[in-house]
Amino acid sequence: MAAKTFSGGVQVPHYKELTEHLPIREGPRPTEVVIPLSQHTGAPCEPTVRRGERVLVGQKVGDSEAFVSAPVHASVSGKVVAIEPRPHPLGGEVLAVVIESDGEFAVHPEVKPLGPLEELSPEQIKRMLRESGMVGLGGAAFPTAVKVSPPEGKHIDVFLLNGAECEPYLTADHRLMVEHPEDVVLGMRALMKALGVGRGIVCVEDNKPDAIEAMKKATMPHSELEVAVCRTKYPQGSEKQLIKAVLGREVPPPPGLPLDVGVVVNNVGTAWAVARALTTGLPLVERVITVTGPCVAQPANLLVRIGTPFSSVVDFCGGFASAPAKIIMGGPMMGVAQRGLEVPVIKGTSGLLLLPEEDALAQQPQPCIRCGRCVEACPMGLLPLLLAAYAEQGRFEEAESLRALNCMECGSCSYICPARRPLVHAIRVAKADIMARLRARRK
Amino acid sequence: MKSELPVVTSSPHLRSPVTVSALMRDVVIALLPALFAAVVFFGERAMMIVALGVLSAVVAEAGYQRLARRPVTVGDWSAVVTGMLLAFNLPPSAPWWLPVVGSAFAIVVAKQLFGGLGQNFINPALAARAMLMASWPAHMTAWIRPFDAVSTATPLAALVPKTGVAAQLPTYWEMFVGATAGCVGETSALALLVGGGYLLVRRVISWHTPAAFIGTVAVLTWVFGGVDGLFSGDWLRHILAGGLMLGAFFMATDYVTSPVTPKGKLIMGLGCGVLTVIIRLHGGFPEGVSYAILLMNLATPLIDRYVQPRPFGEVRKK
Ligand code: SF4
Ligand code: SF4
């Protein structure tokens, strides 16, 4: 069977060999964690603890009444030493609960396994997802409880488990599939049960044969599950491209969502975290990340507590092999460059990538030569060269009519541009302006 | 680490190794087989013309940018490509100043005055060729035979019934390898196919324009190009003759002056093919490739305006 794929996209080098064969290890035991009260898409949380209070692992430290939100929990036991704005890896400063660890990692007494999946109702699973602060761990950190609660009238018939992991360098999902395929399947089945979906497909890129193998074996006993092999191409892991490749369905342009075509997509890391929450009762207080790049002394796949400062993670990996010129949270295509290592690992941290100077230097942009490469690369069928040109000239309305809002900022266009034009950057500027005007109009 | 702050730029943080200069260098490499063929058939005078064309283009670009106080960009190899293409479009008997004047015009008037690489809307080499044609028609149409440099007609001139030149036609084989009269770099279909194939394999160009261009010429000349009614044309001779291969692979595919979408590129090739055949069969000149491309260059903004990719997830209405 031919591997499934989508149109557009780019071939990027993987750089996965640094960590793809390294088993997941227990990460550092931080002396202090910083838990930002906003780590997800949606309303930020209010703190539910006070300064000076003693907290235990798994205890809720922030929550919100809003539907689209997710509570946050203590990942160490110890004392709340501050509730104050702290630098956030997605930029700016965000109110955070700072906990000084007592080194005991004592778990809150209410943390108890929920019982076997067979005995749980969809409602119970949804409540567990909400209470455990579960969010999509692929990057966007959308609250999982919301994702599995489609609005009335939307019929979901397929659940896709996203194991494409198309970002170069990152291998956390790959390792989870190889090492914990049964847990991944358990989490997947729990999510499907919450949704009431009868068909589930695990989607893996064909550069991970061992993961394909493991997932095939683990899904064997479950007739409702199958494995789909996708061609290795960036951005195969983007929800819309994955749905197109595997099911041939096209999600309508924004505000269209996968559920408009009867699909819900969740990522492998999320499914694994759901299984952990089910079997241990622990909320989302740790996740697997890939620490990698030429500047890391010992690249690794680590199980890290949410709130651990990047600096402790890097120290745990033997420090720098050479001084990094760029620090990125996430992968090199869509990750966010950091000002330093003081920011904490959050729920959406899929990796920590340290790049040397030769990879970090901004290349001088040249004039566009109209080669059309960005057009061919754009998986959304846009004209990046024109969008960017309009954006640079401040002609945002023209950019809007050329569907600037359809851009998912995958970076394929900027990656491929031989003139090194900062296309996505320009399009982002246009999108921000268009969104601001839309919001103003709505008011 | 503490002393030097990390670089903070927006994603992506990876860039493809293919740069503008790498692409242009590939075009130069792809033109080398045709240059070799030119030297074989027309001797060192062909080499002279190409060398002068390239030199003049590079000097003109650097000189103009110096005077205009702009950054000098000859390192991107695009001037070298323009110089080579201009020289390839001259007769081998051209006097030494023809490539010099032509390249300088191509770079200064057709490229830099429009704002430099990426801004010009017609192909500089072809614009310069048209200018030379208008100013020195005698020099631009003085053809010589390969090997012995005796004056002759081109196979295309011999092909057009109404010129009455029932001259000895070269064989298909001679036309394929390039042992016929013609411009410096256009006669050897073989060498140009090798170069064009290289560009396709390296993904410097896509197949859309050359395939549509050559295909259209083949079909139309087969249908309309014969003297014994429809479907009697000598299409093979038509696609091997003149500047078709050079034009289809190297000039109609010029990034700056052709459409950016795959569908647009097909239309570009189709339009070039139709216009070439009209000019060849009914126009005042025996050859139409370069005018066809120039006309399609002018149509490019229009094509780009109306031929856009289908945005993902959208259903085409209308
Ligand atoms: S325009 Fe947007 S969606 Fe298209 S390639 Fe660029 S970043 Fe990706
Ligand atoms: S890839 Fe870059 S140079 Fe090519 S058309 Fe797009 S913006 Fe222009």
Side-chain angles (χ1 to χ4, degrees):
Chain A
M1 196 182 61
K4 301 177 183 332
T5 191
F6 59 97
S7 65
V10 287
Q11 297 291 345
V12 292
H14 307 166
Y15 301 117
K16 295 199 192 255
E17 55 290 343
L18 286 172
T19 52
E20 66 187 338
H21 298 300
L22 300 178
I24 299 165
R25 286 190 293 148
E26 179 93 28
R29 310 193 126 213
T31 51
E32 185 184 277
V33 292
V34 177
I35 316 274
L37 287 164
S38 178
Q39 307 187 25
H40 48 263
T41 305
C45 296
E46 297 290 330
T48 54
V49 289
R50 260 165 306 143
R51 198 167 151 242
E53 204 173 316
R54 185 176 146 76
V55 291
L56 296 168
V57 175
Q59 183 176 340
K60 197 185 281 180
V61 298
D63 203 350
S64 160
E65 300 276 298
F67 178 58
V68 184
S69 188
V72 292
H73 302 82
S75 55
V76 296
S77 57
K79 203 169 86 183
V80 176
V81 290
I83 299 176
E84 61 188 22
R86 286 290 184 105
H88 192 281
L90 296 180
E93 296 208 333
V94 169
L95 199 61
V97 176
V98 184
I99 306 166
E100 194 183 77
S101 172
D102 57 14
E104 285 169 18
F105 299 94
V107 175
H108 196 268
E110 273 173 32
V111 169
K112 271 197 244 59
L114 262 177
L117 178 58
E118 286 63 34
E119 288 165 22
L120 297 177
S121 71
E123 287 319 310
Q124 281 175 302
I125 300 173
K126 282 184 200 170
R127 204 170 321 125
M128 179 280 282
L129 292 173
R130 167 78 191 207
E131 282 308 304
S132 62
M134 199 60 65
V135 299
L137 299 188
F142 190 79
T144 310
V146 181
K147 209 166 187 176
V148 297
S149 313
E152 277 311 309
K154 301 277 181 198
H155 176 70
I156 309 295
D157 65 335
V158 191
F159 179 92
L160 294 189
L161 190 69
N162 187 351
E165 199 162 41
C166 59
E167 273 272 8
Y169 284 106
L170 302 186
T171 57
D173 287 352
H174 181 180
R175 290 312 303 176
L176 283 173
M177 288 188 282
V178 171
E179 294 176 43
H180 304 288
E182 273 84 22
D183 286 343
V184 171
V185 165
L186 176 66
M188 176 178 186
R189 287 173 54 233
L191 290 164
M192 285 171 64
K193 186 161 184 184
L195 271 163
V197 191
R199 182 178 172 212
I201 309 175
V202 184
C203 316
V204 192
E205 279 190 339
D206 57 7
N207 63 346
K208 310 176 197 32
D210 48 351
I212 294 169
E213 193 63 26
M215 291 314 295
K216 278 197 170 145
K217 229 164 118 193
T219 50
M220 201 87 80
H222 308 284
S223 59
E224 74 279 19
L225 303 184
E226 56 192 288
V227 175
V229 178
C230 301
R231 225 177 84 199
T232 302
K233 184 167 73 165
Y234 183 85
Q236 182 62 76
S238 141
E239 282 190 352
K240 295 182 178 183
Q241 274 56 43
L242 196 71
I243 295 169
K244 172 77 183 180
V246 176
L247 299 168
R249 302 181 193 173
E250 276 192 24
V251 178
L257 291 171
L259 47 89
D260 291 320
V261 293
V263 187
V264 164
V265 185
N266 260 291
N267 116 311
V268 161
T270 314
W272 177 77
V274 169
R276 290 253 303 178
L278 273 179
T279 50
T280 64
L282 260 184
L284 184 58
V285 291
E286 44 190 5
R287 65 158 297 156
V288 179
I289 71 171
T290 304
V291 189
T292 184
C295 295
V296 179
Q298 294 149 20
N301 298 300
L302 297 180
L303 180 61
V304 178
R305 283 166 201 275
I306 307 290
T308 308
F310 283 3
S311 51
S312 317
V313 176
V314 172
D315 286 344
F316 187 81
C317 292
F320 299 142
S322 58
K326 214 177 208 181
I327 300 164
I328 297 159
M329 181 180 88
M333 295 300 287
M334 293 185 76
V336 182
Q338 303 295 321
R339 289 180 196 285
L341 287 170
E342 64 273 39
V343 289
V345 170
I346 58 173
K347 293 175 183 176
T349 307
S350 49
L352 184 51
L353 172 61
L354 304 187
L355 292 179
E357 198 163 331
E358 54 274 25
D359 292 333
L361 287 180
Q363 287 152 317
Q364 203 54 41
Q366 291 165 269
C368 166
I369 56 168
R370 295 177 35 87
C371 67
R373 280 174 162 64
C374 54
V375 179
E376 269 183 70
C378 179
M380 297 310 287
L382 306 176
L383 292 164
L385 76 158
L386 274 187
L387 287 175
Y390 284 144
E392 281 162 10
Q393 296 163 11
R395 291 156 71 181
F396 299 127
E397 270 155 40
E398 273 142 306
E400 185 177 359
S401 66
L402 281 177
R403 318 282 198 283
L405 291 183
N406 292 18
C407 167
M408 56 173 172
E409 305 179 15
C410 69
S412 300
C413 52
S414 293
Y415 171 80
I416 207 74
C417 177
R420 302 293 182 245
R421 301 212 59 76
L423 300 169
V424 197
H425 185 78
I427 297 171
R428 260 186 213 121
V429 173
K431 280 176 72 178
D433 182 89
I434 296 166
M435 294 294 279
R437 265 183 303 119
L438 281 182
R439 268 194 299 270
R441 224 175 292 157
R442 227 173 274 151
K443 262 174 208 157
Chain B
M1 155 80 231
K2 283 277 170 284
S3 57
E4 273 178 58
L5 285 172
V7 182
V8 179
T9 52
S10 67
S11 63
H13 310 284
L14 259 190
R15 291 301 180 98
S16 142
V18 178
T19 59
V20 172
S21 47
L23 289 171
M24 295 296 162
R25 205 161 42 216
D26 264 349
V27 176
V28 171
I29 292 171
L31 285 168
L32 293 180
L35 176 59
F36 177 77
V39 173
V40 168
F41 297 125
F42 301 113
E44 56 210 44
R45 67 168 75 225
M47 191 54 143
M48 258 285 276
I49 291 173
V50 175
L52 285 170
V54 170
L55 198 71
S56 164
V58 172
V59 170
E61 177 139 296
Y64 179 88
Q65 289 176 327
R66 267 276 166 74
L67 287 178
R69 296 182 194 285
R70 298 216 190 113
V72 175
T73 59
V74 290
D76 67 17
W77 287 75
S78 68
V80 177
V81 171
T82 300
M84 272 181 108
L85 285 176
L86 184 270
F88 274 27
N89 277 291
L90 301 178
S93 61
W96 66 269
W97 51 266
L98 212 56
V100 174
V101 173
S103 279
F105 178 88
I107 293 294
V108 175
V109 180
K111 180 177 173 188
Q112 291 298 344
L113 288 185
F114 284 104
L117 184 65
Q119 303 296 315
N120 51 297
F121 62 90
I122 49 175
N123 186 316
L126 287 179
R129 183 192 137 99
M131 183 278 290
L132 296 177
M133 198 73 164
S135 314
W136 295 282
H139 283 306
M140 289 298 287
T141 51
W143 309 109
I144 54 171
R145 274 208 319 240
F147 303 118
D148 58 8
V150 172
S151 298
T152 182
T154 66
L156 258 183
L159 200 62
V160 179
K162 66 177 179 237
T163 57
V165 192
Q168 55 331 351
L169 286 174
T171 62
Y172 290 132
W173 175 250
E174 282 172 330
M175 294 178 72
F176 181 63
V177 296
T180 71
C183 288
V184 167
E186 72 177 18
T187 63
S188 175
L190 172 63
L192 290 163
L193 280 171
V194 169
Y198 174 79
L199 292 186
L200 287 173
V201 169
R202 301 269 298 168
R203 290 171 179 269
V204 175
I205 60 171
S206 69
W207 57 269
H208 303 82
T209 305
F213 195 166
I214 297 170
T216 306
V217 169
V219 170
L220 290 182
T221 53
W222 174 56
V223 177
F224 299 112
V227 282
D228 313 324
L230 294 181
F231 304 105
S232 68
D234 189 349
W235 61 272
L236 186 56
R237 193 166 293 272
H238 267 287
I239 64 169
L240 293 177
L244 182 58
M245 292 291 165
L246 183 62
F249 284 104
F250 292 93
M251 291 187 299
T253 55
D254 173 43
Y255 295 143
V256 179
T257 56
S258 67
V260 291
T261 61
K263 231 186 279 166
K265 288 178 205 232
L266 277 178
I267 295 176
M268 174 81 186
L270 198 87
C272 286
V274 170
L275 291 170
T276 298
V277 173
I278 292 177
I279 299 173
R280 275 191 186 178
L281 298 183
H282 302 290
F285 306 98
E287 175 57 307
V289 168
S290 48
Y291 293 106
I293 298 174
L294 280 175
L295 285 171
M296 289 309 289
N297 287 165
L298 297 178
T300 291
L302 212 65
I303 299 176
D304 270 346
R305 180 108 167 253
Y306 290 104
V307 183
Q308 296 191 351
R310 182 182 65 92
F312 184 94
E314 257 172 51
V315 189
R316 266 275 150 84
K317 287 187 210 104
K318 273 185 278 187

